[in-house]
Amino acid sequence: MQSPVYYALVNPNLSILMNMCFIFQRITIPEIMKDEWFKKNYKPPVFYEKEDADLDDVQALFKDSEEYRVTEKKEEQQPTAMNAFELISMSRGLKLDNLFDVEQGFKRETRFTSKCPANEIISKIVKAAKPLGFDIHKKNYKMRLENVKAGRKGNLNVATEIFQVAPSLHMVEVRKAKGDTLEFHMFCKNLSSSLEDVVWKTEEDMQETK
Amino acid sequence: MGCHLSKRSKLIPGYEKPTVLAAETPFTVSEVEALHELFKKLSSSIINDGLIHKEEFQLALFRNRNKRNLFADRIFDLFDVKRNGAIDFGEFIRSLGVFHPNASTDDKVAFAFRLYDLRQTGYIEREELKEMVLALLHESDLVLPDDVVEVIVDKTFNDADLKGDSRIDPVEWKEFVSKNPSLIKNMTLPYLKDITLAFPSFVLNSEVEDSDV
């Protein structure tokens, strides 16, 4: 089959590449990215996060420093206690963003309460996240879940942390650390259906206007 | 047309010129004007009198004018600086100013302290903290036995009440917040920096040109 005439006016390498796209089997994106024509002057996109996600604590957690390891040992017994004022600050009456009544898009973090022991919560999250294609890094009651496959804005990274409100009540925070917010939203939906027997109240349950 | 609009605006109780409010808060004149649009919307939702009443405030926060909430009450009372039962435009702007990302941390810390000092005694008493914890648990439909609530309150109080006199004073509070910065996270509304994007109509109504006539 003859290439259309206009291809002849273009860089022959591009022409060959385009033929491969349309004529032979459909070339894949990764294959295109390996092609010489494509690689010329190519700069991979860097995805900037608009919001200021505070990643300091997440980064610090996974830094392999000796001194950090030593102090962590002491805290291995219990999850961090949730301060009463932190608990109070979750009230819907203090969420003045609602005055603006704006479509603020999908949430970048969520939380749920659980009556299960902290270790059980951890293992259930691990069990739920692994089949979804996530790598798990764990340090005490904090975890970093990373999607092995890159998504729309790089690899989705999720940070989770368990707080103890009372011996029988834990608060689990699930936060997007990196990546596409919609993918994070889908991840949370999948996670919550796998964690049905662990979750006591979701954030929606707690914020329902009675 | 400009004259007509400024006449109408001066009928709004507590109206202060955007330039004055901008000078005394972290807002720019444009931001004050954009917030004016928001204020008009909120203050006319039930009674169209240029004032935000408690029910209008509840309607905005909870989409339910009759929803009672301890914390919303505290916010309302703090915004109502003149304590006359409604929030006027000046009070609205000046109070929201504390929530601006550029407002000083000291201002935010002080506002949070007054927020949690339920009976305005100048201290956050242990009973007040317990009352707030119970309010939050009730609001979230989380039921806990009283002795568990006591443990939660005790632990926090012991961390914060350095003098051990069963109450948290402003100095202890400031110290406590510096150790737990996330405590004033909800004292900042990042969205305030984008407010002019949400209410662009002010561009047509701008009173900045109506300088002191």
Side-chain angles (χ1 to χ4, degrees):
Chain A
M1 178 172 159
Q2 275 252 316
S3 317
V5 168
Y6 52 84
Y7 280 177
L9 302 172
V10 141
N11 184 319
N13 293 326
L14 171 59
S15 169
I16 291 167
L17 184 60
M18 290 186 77
N19 284 338
M20 284 172 71
C21 289
F22 301 119
I23 295 168
F24 297 105
Q25 69 189 35
R26 186 71 67 112
I27 190 173
T28 63
I29 299 283
E31 285 170 351
I32 291 178
M33 290 175 77
K34 282 197 228 140
D35 186 273
E36 279 312 315
W37 179 86
F38 183 85
K39 285 206 286 209
K40 196 170 179 191
N41 295 327
Y42 173 64
K43 255 180 20 197
V46 178
F47 298 104
Y48 293 105
E49 290 291 344
K50 252 203 323 193
E51 66 277 7
D52 300 334
D54 182 3
L55 297 177
D56 288 346
D57 60 334
V58 181
Q59 313 282 34
L61 185 62
F62 296 100
K63 254 202 314 235
D64 253 343
S65 71
E66 268 310 316
E67 66 168 313
Y68 203 77
R69 233 178 262 142
V70 171
T71 46
E72 276 302 321
K73 263 213 177 91
K74 270 193 284 183
E75 291 174 60
E76 254 177 52
Q77 314 306 317
Q78 297 279 324
T80 317
M82 181 167 256
N83 188 305
F85 285 104
E86 259 159 31
L87 192 61
I88 288 166
S89 68
M90 283 170 29
S91 170
R92 194 164 161 185
L94 295 176
K95 296 225 181 324
L96 296 190
D97 311 65
N98 291 326
L99 292 178
F100 306 123
D101 186 27
V102 151
E103 206 46 70
Q104 298 200 21
F106 293 106
K107 288 199 288 234
R108 287 174 201 116
E109 63 175 72
T110 187
R111 47 171 64 95
F112 62 86
T113 54
S114 176
K115 284 182 166 170
C116 298
N119 289 318
E120 193 181 318
I121 300 172
I122 297 256
S123 59
K124 288 257 160 80
I125 292 177
V126 171
K127 242 176 74 176
K130 277 217 166 117
L132 297 173
F134 283 80
D135 253 355
I136 321 274
H137 301 272
K138 190 174 95 74
K139 210 151 198 172
N140 295 335
Y141 296 95
K142 292 193 199 194
M143 284 199 291
R144 183 94 169 270
L145 313 172
E146 176 160 354
N147 196 334
V148 175
K149 274 204 325 224
R152 285 168 60 204
K153 285 193 179 168
N155 304 63
L156 178 64
N157 256 239
V158 176
T160 72
E161 187 166 0
I162 301 180
F163 296 93
Q164 187 181 67
V165 179
S168 55
L169 180 62
H170 292 99
M171 183 82 65
V172 184
E173 276 188 2
V174 182
R175 226 174 39 231
K176 182 192 81 163
K178 209 180 81 161
D180 184 54
T181 304
L182 176 58
E183 284 169 21
F184 173 70
H185 176 79
M186 298 308 301
F187 169 75
C188 287
K189 283 185 97 166
N190 288 328
L191 191 69
S192 59
S193 45
S194 322
L195 291 180
E196 249 172 35
D197 52 346
V198 168
V199 174
W200 183 32
K201 302 246 185 254
T202 61
E203 190 164 29
E204 285 71 37
D205 294 335
M206 294 192 277
Q207 306 236 306
E208 205 104 281
T209 306
K210 292 190 269 280
Chain B
M1 185 152 133
C3 281
H4 168 72
L5 281 168
S6 58
K7 234 188 266 180
R8 193 152 41 98
S9 304
K10 274 161 183 111
L11 290 176
I12 290 175
Y15 181 80
E16 294 179 61
K17 289 183 127 175
T19 42
V20 171
L21 290 169
E24 298 178 20
T25 63
F27 297 119
T28 62
V29 174
S30 312
E31 288 168 347
V32 172
E33 292 182 331
L35 285 169
H36 193 196
E37 297 301 308
L38 172 65
F39 181 82
K40 285 194 290 196
K41 190 178 118 178
L42 298 179
S43 61
S44 61
S45 61
I46 298 172
I47 308 168
N48 193 1
D49 62 352
L51 293 169
I52 300 178
H53 295 270
K54 179 70 84 70
E55 285 199 355
E56 291 173 325
F57 191 66
Q58 283 163 180
L59 181 66
L61 275 188
F62 307 114
R63 310 280 174 266
N64 177 347
R65 61 191 276 180
N66 295 313
K67 173 79 177 168
R68 298 308 309 273
N69 182 285
L70 173 65
F71 304 102
D73 285 351
R74 289 301 302 140
I75 295 271
F76 187 86
D77 287 348
L78 286 184
F79 272 51
D80 178 17
V81 178
K82 295 199 242 335
R83 309 299 282 115
N84 57 7
I87 301 170
D88 63 38
F89 181 58
E91 292 172 326
F92 184 67
I93 297 297
R94 289 175 194 284
S95 305
L96 264 188
V98 178
F99 291 82
H100 194 281
N102 297 344
S104 75
T105 306
D106 278 348
D107 284 350
K108 294 174 192 284
V109 170
F111 193 95
F113 185 83
R114 287 162 58 219
L115 182 69
Y116 298 138
D117 177 12
L118 302 180
R119 284 177 272 287
Q120 298 124 67
T121 54
Y123 300 93
I124 301 174
E125 278 92 2
R126 199 185 173 288
E127 303 73 54
E128 290 175 328
L129 181 57
K130 185 170 179 184
E131 190 180 330
M132 290 190 284
V133 171
L134 287 171
L136 184 282
L137 292 173
H138 174 79
E139 175 191 325
S140 318
D141 215 17
L142 295 169
V143 178
L144 292 178
D146 188 68
D147 53 344
V148 173
V149 178
E150 285 285 321
V151 168
I152 296 172
V153 175
D154 270 340
K155 189 163 194 315
T156 302
F157 219 78
N158 294 337
D159 280 346
D161 177 21
L162 302 170
K163 292 197 196 71
D165 59 356
S166 284
R167 54 193 193 174
I168 301 169
D169 62 44
V171 173
E172 291 170 326
W173 173 250
K174 194 167 171 187
E175 176 65 35
F176 192 55
V177 173
S178 67
K179 285 191 282 194
N180 300 280
S182 62
L183 290 188
I184 53 165
K185 198 168 103 159
N186 57 358
M187 291 304 306
T188 296
L189 300 169
Y191 187 70
L192 286 175
K193 277 198 138 167
D194 292 336
I195 196 78
T196 51
L197 300 171
F199 296 94
S201 59
F202 81 92
V203 175
L204 303 168
N205 300 336
S206 180
E207 297 198 15
V208 182
E209 286 101 24
D210 298 331
S211 52
D212 305 294
V213 176

